[in-house]
Amino acid sequence: MTSTSIISLIKKIYHSPTFNTWASIASRSLNIIVLIPFILKEFNPAEISLWYLFATIAGFNFIFELGFGPSFIRAISYGLGGASSMNNNKGNGKPNLLFIGNIWQNIKLVYAILTILILLILVIFGQYIIAKPISLMTYPKDGWTSWIIMIVGISFSFWGNIFAIFLQGSNKITLFRRYETIFSLCSIISCAIGIQLGINFVGLILLSQSWNVISVIRNYLICKKDDLYNKIKSKFTIYVDKSLITDLWSTSWRSAIGIIMSYGIINSSALYFAQSDDAKQVSSYLFCYRILQIIINFSMAPFYTKVPELSRLYITNDREKLLKSAKKGMIVSHFTFVISTILVGITAPYALEVIGSSIQFIEAKLWALLIFAFFIERFGAMHMQLYSISNNIIWHITNSITGIILLILLIFTIPSFNFYAFPISMIVAYLSFYSWYAAKKSYKLLNLKFMKFEKKITFVPLLVLLLYILLIFNL
């Protein structure tokens, strides 16, 4: 390979949205993973349980967006393609500044209202979720102090989503994720140094949340340097574009119900198990569940970073590029998820022993079932995202039906199977409806054939996963 080709490859990677998103997710994941040896050795099971419970609660952040986040991102993408409204979404490829400016004005108002809502929910209802885990701590006062810090950090970060939405919708994903990576690494280094200097649990929470606040300020400064942002920015007003909000709400409420009935129920299972009196068992489950969520987020990058561009290609009717981009994102996403989860399942139990962890990895069979459950869920979710580029949102239907099935199954299986009830119920629920229905919709939208489309995208990674599961259950 010549020096010119090497430089060209480096530039390609440097400007790649997928690579930068991967780097961002990896760095944010390292913020948890790198600290694991310190946390598992320096803190007791009750504190470890609370640490990962806080991470789970923070993960609910986008649920409180009520589906507006993806809708606003899609709206900005449409505006960049020349659309004048969400109904008149066939554009000429030239940015419609008037429409984008109107979108931005309403983003600020909607998120101001939603931030007040999430703040009230955390203050009023959050205490009931964390009360049990905090009561198991040696110093419960530290737990409550940490919770106050979390409330402030989560609320401010939620409001700051407005700048992340603009950067993603305007296809500045590469720049946004690159800076996110740098700041995440700074957070890791500072937290590691803090723990080495003897920082306590409250100090660690304060330090980690401080970086979340700084990240919001960073995104604002990035926006200020963007030409499009400077052309459409305006002073905050309480003016509501009823037509725009109505159009967005017609899809957002469907997305919101879909998210609540899928991600909400799935993550709530972790909150349910956190109420157990066995701090050691709970901390092990929450730790492994958090690792799995990190892998899921990491594996989503190759496909989800392409969604704004897929929306633009859809309204400009460039089907060939759309399918090529979607296929590439899906296959890399599937392989990333399968390989990463299998490697963790093999190495993590030994790694925890080496570092002298106060908790253990969950049973191999439980981990294998969790992997399979989320593989099915991810398959359906990517097809649902692909169908949603048409602005026809059916999340409320698919996720509600699947969520109800999941809840009913959990009610009957938890007493007998405990932690195993969750992946077993999830596998049955998502196979029975969500996965095939979501795929059917995207096939119809883009005139695709199941075997032709999936044989190279899904079948091979699925086969690898099934072989791993077979091996685990026959050991």
Side-chain angles (χ1 to χ4, degrees):
M1 185 178 287
T2 64
S3 58
T4 303
S5 60
I6 292 174
I7 293 172
S8 177
L9 178 62
I10 292 173
K11 286 183 178 180
K12 183 177 180 180
I13 293 173
Y14 182 77
H15 293 289
S16 167
T18 297
F19 175 81
N20 281 278
T21 301
W22 263 351
S24 171
I25 294 172
S27 62
R28 282 183 283 132
S29 301
L30 285 174
N31 201 8
I32 296 174
I33 295 173
V34 168
L35 298 179
I36 284 175
F38 301 101
I39 293 172
L40 298 185
K41 291 180 68 175
E42 298 298 327
F43 298 112
N44 58 49
E47 290 170 325
I48 295 170
S49 176
L50 190 61
W51 169 264
Y52 288 110
L53 180 59
F54 281 166
T56 302
I57 292 173
F60 276 86
N61 217 336
F62 78 94
I63 288 180
F64 294 104
E65 289 183 296
L66 300 180
F68 274 110
S71 295
F72 275 124
I73 290 173
R74 189 161 52 249
I76 294 174
S77 297
Y78 279 13
L80 281 175
S84 57
S85 73
M86 297 306 292
N87 292 323
N88 180 23
N89 55 22
K90 296 297 179 184
N92 56 12
K94 296 180 180 179
N96 187 329
L97 295 180
L98 182 63
F99 181 50
I100 299 173
N102 197 29
I103 294 168
W104 177 244
Q105 184 61 51
N106 283 269
I107 287 176
K108 293 188 291 183
L109 177 60
V110 168
Y111 272 78
I113 296 171
L114 292 178
T115 300
I116 295 173
L117 175 64
I118 191 173
L119 179 62
L120 292 174
I121 291 173
L122 290 172
V123 171
I124 298 171
F125 299 106
Q127 59 180 315
Y128 297 106
I129 296 172
I130 64 166
K132 182 68 175 182
I134 287 179
S135 69
L136 300 175
M137 294 178 69
T138 306
Y139 303 103
K141 184 179 178 181
D142 287 353
W144 289 111
T145 302
S146 300
W147 175 237
I148 293 172
I149 296 170
M150 286 297 299
I151 289 175
V152 175
I154 290 173
S155 300
F156 188 76
S157 295
F158 181 86
W159 171 79
N161 283 337
I162 62 174
F163 304 114
I165 287 172
F166 173 81
L167 292 171
Q168 291 176 81
S170 59
N171 209 25
K172 300 295 189 302
I173 295 174
T174 301
L175 181 65
F176 168 55
R177 297 302 185 189
R178 187 182 300 138
Y179 275 103
E180 196 171 54
T181 300
I182 295 170
F183 278 69
S184 294
L185 291 174
C186 290
S187 174
I188 294 168
I189 294 169
S190 64
C191 287
I193 292 173
I195 294 176
Q196 284 293 90
L197 294 175
I199 195 172
N200 64 6
F201 186 78
V202 176
L204 182 60
I205 294 295
L206 178 61
L207 188 57
S208 63
Q209 288 303 308
S210 295
W211 279 103
N212 287 338
V213 172
I214 292 171
S215 294
V216 171
I217 299 171
R218 173 206 70 214
N219 289 340
Y220 166 68
L221 294 176
I222 295 174
C223 288
K224 279 194 68 176
K225 292 182 179 181
D226 185 78
D227 290 338
L228 177 63
Y229 178 82
N230 289 318
K231 290 177 181 178
I232 57 98
K233 70 177 182 179
S234 58
K235 292 182 178 180
F236 178 81
T237 69
I238 58 172
Y239 169 73
V240 179
D241 186 327
K242 294 181 180 179
S243 176
L244 174 63
I245 295 299
T246 298
D247 288 343
L248 291 175
W249 181 242
S250 67
T251 58
S252 295
W253 75 265
R254 295 180 174 89
S255 299
I257 292 176
I259 291 170
I260 292 170
M261 293 301 290
S262 58
Y263 186 87
I265 292 175
I266 290 171
N267 264 29
S268 293
S269 68
L271 303 183
Y272 171 82
F273 290 123
Q275 306 309 310
S276 171
D277 290 324
D278 190 338
K280 210 162 191 176
Q281 191 178 33
V282 169
S283 58
S284 293
Y285 180 79
L286 290 180
F287 162 69
C288 294
Y289 181 77
R290 185 58 185 164
I291 295 298
L292 183 57
Q293 290 299 315
I294 290 170
I295 295 173
I296 290 170
N297 291 334
F298 186 75
S299 66
M300 283 164 53
F303 179 75
Y304 278 66
T305 54
K306 299 179 184 296
V307 171
E309 179 65 10
L310 294 177
S311 297
R312 188 189 68 79
L313 292 172
Y314 178 76
I315 68 168
T316 55
N317 202 29
D318 194 339
R319 185 178 182 276
E320 185 178 347
K321 285 185 178 180
L322 192 160
L323 288 177
K324 183 179 179 180
S325 182
K327 286 178 180 179
K328 184 179 179 181
M330 283 181 168
I331 191 169
V332 177
S333 182
H334 278 318
F335 270 111
T336 302
F337 175 77
V338 170
I339 293 172
S340 299
T341 49
I342 290 175
L343 285 175
V344 168
I346 294 171
T347 61
Y350 302 103
L352 292 180
E353 287 184 17
V354 170
I355 66 173
S357 169
S358 61
I359 64 171
Q360 295 180 329
F361 201 76
I362 58 175
E363 295 178 3
K365 291 180 180 179
L366 177 57
W367 179 253
L369 288 175
L370 283 169
I371 296 174
F372 187 49
F374 278 99
F375 181 88
I376 297 167
E377 187 271 338
R378 287 290 85 211
F379 168 81
M382 284 194 287
H383 275 289
M384 188 55 62
Q385 284 287 345
L386 187 57
Y387 179 70
S388 296
I389 64 173
S390 65
N391 204 37
N392 295 315
I393 306 301
I394 58 171
W395 298 7
H396 61 305
I397 299 173
T398 55
N399 290 12
S400 293
I401 294 173
T402 309
I404 292 170
I405 296 171
L406 178 58
L407 277 175
I408 294 172
L409 290 170
L410 284 172
I411 291 171
F412 286 101
T413 57
I414 283 179
S416 300
F417 297 100
N418 199 13
F419 289 106
Y420 280 86
F422 174 64
I424 292 172
S425 299
M426 190 173 169
I427 290 168
V428 175
Y430 279 81
L431 279 178
S432 63
F433 182 72
Y434 184 84
S435 58
W436 66 264
Y437 187 80
K440 181 182 177 182
K441 283 291 184 180
S442 70
Y443 297 153
K444 185 176 181 180
L445 175 71
L446 300 172
N447 193 27
L448 305 172
K449 299 295 182 181
F450 170 69
M451 287 298 298
K452 186 177 180 180
F453 187 78
E454 301 293 352
K455 66 180 180 180
K456 293 182 179 180
I457 296 175
T458 305
F459 289 174
V460 177
L462 177 60
L463 178 61
V464 173
L465 178 55
L466 291 176
L467 288 174
Y468 168 74
I469 295 172
L470 186 64
L471 177 64
I472 291 297
F473 275 82
N474 280 279
L475 286 178

